[in-house]
Amino acid sequence: MIDPRLLRAEPDLFRDSQLRRGADNSAVDRFLELDRSRRTAQQLFEEVRAQQKQMGKRIGPARGAEKRGELTEGQQAELARWLTEAEELSNRVKAAESEVADLEPQVEAAATEIDNLVDPDAPIGSESDFRTLHEVGKPRDFDSEGFSPKDHLELGEILRAIDTDRAAKVSGSRFFYLTGDGALLELALLNLAMNFATGNGFTPIIPPALVRPPAMAGTGFLGQAEENVYRLEADDLYLVGTAEVPLAAFHSNEILDAEQLPLRYAGFSPCFRREAGSHGRDTRGIIRVHQFDKVEMFSFCNPDEAVAEHERLLSWEQEFLDLLELPYRVIDVATGDLGSSAARKYDIEAWIPTQGRYREVTSTSNCTTFQSRRLNIRMRSKSGSPHPLATLNGTLIAMPRVIVALLENHQSADGSVAIPEALRPYLGGRDRLLPK
RNA sequence: GGAGAUGUCGCCUAGUCUGGUUUAUGGCGCCCGCCUGCUAAGCGGGUUGAGGUUUUAAGACCUCUCGAGGGUUCAAAUCCCUCCAUCUCCGCCA
């Protein structure tokens, strides 16, 4: 949700931002017009409502006196007149109220169509117009090592770590079993990630993966992204696509103490994605799946701190990938590819040898005050009234894609896979996964 | 799943049966001021949140807000309906 007062005062900011996203900006003017009508209607309502209340204050005591039989004939007649007048007022109140009630959702709808203001520093353009910020590590030269790399699925089968055939039998396409060392690998990554997070001051959280509609809507997943969300019709619940949803909604309808900020959480949850519209893409292996586990970082912070916090989230993401000894690059996502709630977004893409390219493994977004407005999360400093705060999120680890990157980048010709040093304590001190 | 109880402005609490004379009571906590060698106590005032009108400004005023949403009524914290949450008991269960 955008800031309606800012929009009234400086609509050009929003028109321009929408253009930068390559999005429709007609909602800005639609909002302004509806908002004006709504406020006019609101004022009328408040006026007649005030009259009605005044009348009620006269009728009340008079009725009391009437019951006690203390009214003179003249007062009795006056009361009767008041009641007639009150009835008429009541009708006018109802009419005015229903006009407001009519306009309200329209204003709301227009506001919802307006995306978050983009950060002026974000590169302008569509998906391919990203800016590369860093490249870290070098892709391995398998040619010079004298063998061609196997892809993660082949390795996963050699190690008996990944089983997609049986997953297809049981659940369908885009599902997987992690077996043996595969399962242990995920648990090791989880523990490494959680220790890393808590070491950096995050509170570990295991949130619910089923949420009610307001949580889903508040985080912005019921707009364009809706087709990718699983919904449980019978119970009116959604399966979350990321822990961002329950983490963001954790403090919904709360006013947080500004002194306590930033509040940082690391949430571990399963993630469910329908992957509608991606038929035929990444059908092999576990790069694109319907269900996976992820540790997500989430921060509630002062809007003044949001840009710095975003940089911090990014550097934690990088640090974590460094621990896993993976080559990657960091990109500054272009305005057209931000999604409605992010003002700026950095993706980290790990090198995938068998694809000869970088693929997204983590992503961090600065949502400024956009989400907190929808979720009604505010902060209060010692003096002064509550204000919306900023929310930011960033992937610490998305299991399948990191497993893909680990297997492919650290493989040997015999199909064994080297375990990065940081991970060894979590795998019983082993330094390799061996074919089974 | 069955039976019952509860939900009031940070916390506790009055008000709900019997609708109006309530700007929603009082206490605790917190904030400001007064008073007092200091502290404590005492005294006075303030203290839900949202939207709006107006003003150079401080402010003033209005409307909404008693778990949420509907309804009845001239008028709803109070009556009716639906939903949500919590608690107690019973049953079932990893």
Side-chain angles (χ1 to χ4, degrees):
Chain A
M1 179 70 58
I2 41 80
D3 180 353
R5 277 186 254 202
L6 183 59
L7 194 149
R8 273 175 218 143
E10 300 187 57
D12 279 339
L13 271 181
F14 291 83
R15 292 192 187 103
D16 180 58
S17 174
Q18 289 298 90
L19 285 180
R20 284 183 188 224
R21 286 173 174 273
D24 177 30
N25 70 1
S26 65
V28 174
D29 289 295
R30 200 143 18 96
F31 173 87
L32 288 172
E33 201 181 312
L34 286 163
D35 178 59
R36 236 188 323 267
S37 318
R38 197 259 321 258
R39 277 187 294 163
T40 308
Q42 183 85 30
Q43 278 166 39
L44 176 68
F45 163 74
E46 286 178 8
E47 201 182 304
V48 284
R49 176 71 177 147
Q51 288 175 33
Q52 185 188 38
K53 285 176 73 170
Q54 286 306 315
M55 187 56 83
K57 271 176 200 159
R58 278 189 275 169
I59 292 173
R63 259 288 155 83
E66 186 188 32
K67 275 179 198 154
R68 293 189 299 272
E70 292 170 359
L71 284 193
T72 66
E73 215 166 284
Q75 286 169 325
Q76 193 68 251
E78 192 176 38
L79 175 57
R81 276 200 306 280
W82 286 346
L83 283 172
T84 318
E85 209 177 313
E87 193 165 352
E88 196 192 314
L89 272 173
S90 171
N91 289 331
R92 290 174 61 197
V93 168
K94 277 177 187 139
E97 196 174 16
S98 83
E99 194 177 342
V100 174
D102 210 45
L103 285 163
E104 198 87 49
Q106 296 182 52
V107 178
E108 190 81 6
T112 307
E113 276 180 58
I114 303 167
D115 302 315
N116 198 2
L117 282 177
V118 297
D119 188 313
D121 292 334
I124 298 171
S126 58
E127 188 175 353
S128 54
D129 295 311
F130 62 84
R131 179 191 300 144
T132 303
L133 298 179
H134 317 281
E135 290 194 16
V136 178
K138 270 212 165 66
R140 259 171 83 183
D141 183 356
F142 286 93
D143 282 347
S144 75
E145 293 185 44
F147 74 103
S148 52
K150 301 176 178 63
D151 82 1
H152 72 276
L153 187 56
E154 195 179 345
L155 289 163
E157 282 165 358
I158 292 171
L159 301 169
R160 292 199 193 277
I162 301 170
D163 188 337
T164 53
D165 290 342
R166 290 196 173 96
K169 176 177 73 179
V170 176
S171 302
S173 66
R174 295 202 192 285
F175 285 93
F176 62 99
Y177 282 87
L178 290 179
T179 57
D181 281 345
L184 293 177
L185 183 57
E186 166 160 332
L187 294 174
L189 286 166
L190 170 61
N191 284 311
L192 176 64
M194 276 303 185
N195 282 346
F196 179 85
T198 51
N200 284 298
F202 285 79
T203 302
I205 299 240
I206 300 181
L210 284 169
V211 299
R212 293 218 181 119
M216 218 58 182
T219 38
F221 286 94
L222 292 188
Q224 286 182 319
E226 188 161 359
E227 60 171 12
N228 272 309
V229 174
Y230 285 102
R231 171 152 186 257
L232 302 189
E233 182 80 37
D235 299 285
D236 201 17
L237 288 169
Y238 293 94
L239 281 163
V240 300
T242 160
E244 176 190 343
V245 175
L247 290 177
F250 187 59
H251 286 302
S252 53
N253 301 317
E254 292 182 24
I255 300 173
L256 306 177
D257 180 0
E259 309 272 305
Q260 306 276 321
L261 301 179
L263 289 179
R264 299 193 180 109
Y265 299 103
F268 170 64
S269 82
C271 305
F272 301 90
R273 300 184 179 185
R274 294 187 63 234
E275 296 298 344
S278 58
H279 297 296
R281 283 165 62 194
D282 301 310
T283 49
R284 184 176 159 80
I286 61 171
I287 287 193
R288 191 176 297 277
V289 288
H290 288 309
Q291 180 192 338
F292 60 96
D293 296 321
K294 182 155 72 76
V295 176
E296 181 81 359
M297 299 180 284
F298 199 92
S299 176
F300 297 88
C301 80
N302 193 306
D304 297 340
E305 269 290 303
V307 167
E309 184 74 355
H310 198 198
E311 298 300 319
R312 282 189 283 269
L313 289 177
L314 177 62
S315 64
W316 280 317
E317 289 183 357
Q318 287 188 240
E319 237 180 278
F320 192 75
L321 290 177
D322 291 340
L323 285 176
L324 299 177
E325 300 169 30
L326 295 171
Y328 60 87
R329 70 177 181 186
V330 180
I331 67 169
D332 194 347
V333 173
T335 47
D337 200 25
L338 287 175
S340 67
S341 37
R344 199 166 193 197
K345 173 148 100 177
Y346 303 121
D347 281 359
I348 300 185
E349 302 179 324
W351 178 257
I352 305 299
T354 60
Q355 298 196 1
R357 59 182 177 132
Y358 290 98
R359 297 296 308 265
E360 179 182 339
V361 284
T362 70
S363 175
T364 176
S365 297
N366 178 1
C367 296
T368 61
T369 57
F370 191 82
Q371 272 181 340
S372 71
R373 273 208 183 74
R374 285 194 182 187
L375 291 165
N376 189 28
I377 308 169
R378 288 163 294 168
M379 58 170 209
R380 191 203 316 262
S381 15
K382 270 223 168 78
S383 57
S385 53
H387 290 291
L389 46 71
T391 60
L392 299 97
N393 62 80
T395 322
L396 186 53
I397 179 168
M399 295 299 175
R401 290 197 179 177
V402 166
I403 290 172
V404 168
L406 278 175
L407 295 185
E408 295 208 9
N409 282 289
H410 297 328
Q411 65 179 296
S412 305
D414 64 0
S416 70
V417 172
I419 299 168
E421 208 169 318
L423 202 52
R424 288 177 200 165
Y426 301 92
L427 282 166
R430 286 190 284 167
D431 60 3
R432 304 196 79 76
L433 300 178
L434 301 172
K436 293 277 159 29

